[in-house]
Amino acid sequence: MQIVRSIPQMQAVKYPEAAQVGFVPTMGYLHEGHLSLVDAAAKNCDLVVVSIFVNPAQFGPSEDLDSYPQDFERDLALLQKRKVDYVFFPTAEEVYPPGYKTWVEVEDISRILCGISRPEHFKGVSTIVLKLLNIARPHFMYMGQKDFQQLTLLRRMALDLNLSVSIVGCPIVREADGLAKSSRNIYLKGDQREQARCLYKALTHSQELVRVGERSAGKIIAAAEKILSDNQAKVDYVKIVDSRDLSETQEVDECSRMLIAAWVGKPRLIDNISLKA
Ligand code: AMP
């Protein structure tokens, strides 16, 4: 496994002609969710590149950039145990040098759901991912469905900008009690860890309502919101959307997905689930 710290060094990596390169972009502090993407890439590709970069451009001014958990040595130890060929670990100074001016924005999708409480977030995400794709030049990019809006937005960007990468969306990896694994879960203190289960409870309750025949998005959302507020979570949004374009749904159908964002204490958690009956 080779650690690459500079952009020119990563751009100079020569992949064998026929090699299929899989790429996993992360912000580090790796957990089994990230590692499931690495494993999927290793299974399907000849070479695996993992990037670790806490991207300042996707954090708002009052967000947790300064306290975002980081442990590069621990991340490396986890990646050493997998089939990883390159770990790309650039500095923010090199990624956004003085005079940096260029941003990519995916209209509409970046402004809904998480884009309402995090207005600059997705501009930062689309820009860094395009930059990383240009630098790492993979054939496949592996991303988690955990960040469903991000996945949908990046698929749109890849289509609109004629990128030659194929984006592979991978299932959400959860703790034993259903909480979606996240680097931010370490912020959950005391009772909050138990309370945080309510996101998954609300999602699975919604799935159950659909299974027994409920189709009204309004009723399913109201029941989910009650579960969240009964558990002291502060709702940012609970929406049922068409999983292809994230447009809001009134009547649940085969393509519907519930997306939740809620604060449990300080941490803001997101999760989602398919409502396919
Ligand atoms: P992050 O480090 O949070 O930027 O996440 C990097 C990648 O890991 C993104 O594609 C995420 O969607 C994915 N990811 C994060 N948590 C999970 C999870 N619990 N299950 C599956 N993928 C995840």
Side-chain angles (χ1 to χ4, degrees), residues 122-146:
F122 288 110
K123 186 173 100 176
V125 169
S126 43
T127 302
I128 190 61
V129 170
L130 182 59
K131 281 169 72 75
L132 291 170
L133 288 171
N134 282 334
I135 295 164
R137 300 155 287 125
H139 301 89
F140 296 90
M141 174 165 69
Y142 290 80
M143 311 214 77
Q145 290 179 339
K146 158 89 184 349

Side-chain angles (χ1 to χ4, degrees), residues 1-123:
M1 188 171 86
Q2 199 178 322
I3 300 164
V4 180
R5 288 176 188 266
S6 88
I7 294 173
Q9 207 186 337
M10 189 69 228
Q11 285 176 310
V13 169
K14 290 220 179 346
Y15 302 122
E17 179 112 20
Q20 294 289 303
V21 179
F23 176 50
V24 182
T26 80
M27 297 207 300
Y29 211 70
L30 303 179
H31 52 65
E32 283 158 46
H34 299 113
L35 297 174
S36 73
L37 307 180
V38 173
D39 290 343
K43 189 162 166 246
N44 296 302
C45 300
D46 304 305
L47 289 170
V48 177
V49 182
V50 177
S51 66
I52 297 179
F53 180 61
V54 181
N55 176 31
Q58 70 189 67
F59 289 77
S62 59
E63 292 182 359
D64 57 346
L65 173 62
D66 293 339
S67 61
Y68 195 83
Q70 275 180 279
D71 190 339
F72 186 59
E73 295 308 319
R74 177 178 162 278
D75 290 347
L76 281 187
L78 289 168
L79 294 175
Q80 293 278 11
K81 294 192 196 126
R82 327 298 264 221
K83 196 190 113 14
V84 175
D85 298 281
Y86 298 95
V87 179
F88 179 48
F89 183 57
T91 63
E93 291 70 29
E94 196 188 11
V95 173
Y96 301 111
Y100 188 88
K101 291 288 177 210
T102 305
W103 302 96
V104 183
E105 183 147 16
V106 182
E107 288 180 351
D108 300 337
I109 303 180
S110 63
R111 294 281 163 198
I112 57 174
L113 303 164
C114 289
I116 295 173
S117 62
R118 309 187 74 191
E120 297 295 300
H121 174 69
F122 288 110
K123 186 173 100 176

Side-chain angles (χ1 to χ4, degrees), residues 46-258:
D46 304 305
L47 289 170
V48 177
V49 182
V50 177
S51 66
I52 297 179
F53 180 61
V54 181
N55 176 31
Q58 70 189 67
F59 289 77
S62 59
E63 292 182 359
D64 57 346
L65 173 62
D66 293 339
S67 61
Y68 195 83
Q70 275 180 279
D71 190 339
F72 186 59
E73 295 308 319
R74 177 178 162 278
D75 290 347
L76 281 187
L78 289 168
L79 294 175
Q80 293 278 11
K81 294 192 196 126
R82 327 298 264 221
K83 196 190 113 14
V84 175
D85 298 281
Y86 298 95
V87 179
F88 179 48
F89 183 57
T91 63
E93 291 70 29
E94 196 188 11
V95 173
Y96 301 111
Y100 188 88
K101 291 288 177 210
T102 305
W103 302 96
V104 183
E105 183 147 16
V106 182
E107 288 180 351
D108 300 337
I109 303 180
S110 63
R111 294 281 163 198
I112 57 174
L113 303 164
C114 289
I116 295 173
S117 62
R118 309 187 74 191
E120 297 295 300
H121 174 69
F122 288 110
K123 186 173 100 176
V125 169
S126 43
T127 302
I128 190 61
V129 170
L130 182 59
K131 281 169 72 75
L132 291 170
L133 288 171
N134 282 334
I135 295 164
R137 300 155 287 125
H139 301 89
F140 296 90
M141 174 165 69
Y142 290 80
M143 311 214 77
Q145 290 179 339
K146 158 89 184 349
D147 299 272
F148 199 82
Q149 183 175 6
Q150 168 175 284
L151 180 62
T152 311
L153 174 132
L154 293 173
R155 286 192 196 285
R156 185 74 246 174
M157 177 181 82
L159 197 66
D160 290 351
L161 297 183
N162 312 101
L163 304 184
S164 51
V165 71
S166 299
I167 300 180
V168 185
C170 299
I172 300 173
V173 177
R174 300 179 178 283
E175 303 288 353
D177 65 3
L179 176 67
K181 291 203 184 246
S182 164
S183 309
R184 288 191 167 98
N185 289 349
I186 57 151
Y187 297 148
L188 295 166
K189 300 291 176 221
D191 295 345
Q192 292 169 356
R193 173 62 188 80
E194 174 65 19
Q195 288 162 5
R197 291 178 58 200
C198 68
L199 277 82
Y200 188 61
K201 274 191 214 160
L203 292 171
T204 48
H205 181 71
S206 303
Q207 251 186 348
E208 179 59 17
L209 288 179
V210 175
R211 197 187 64 78
V212 299
E214 182 60 67
R215 292 291 179 271
S216 155
K219 285 189 186 156
I220 298 167
I221 289 171
E225 284 178 340
K226 181 163 180 345
I227 292 173
L228 295 169
S229 54
D230 286 351
N231 285 276
Q232 280 78 52
K234 187 169 154 259
V235 174
D236 183 353
Y237 62 80
V238 178
K239 299 278 186 201
I240 298 178
V241 298
D242 186 308
S243 54
R244 293 164 294 187
D245 61 4
L246 305 185
S247 60
E248 276 189 51
T249 301
Q250 305 305 323
E251 288 285 302
V252 169
D253 64 24
E254 294 290 285
C255 295
S256 299
R257 203 163 181 106
M258 176 174 270

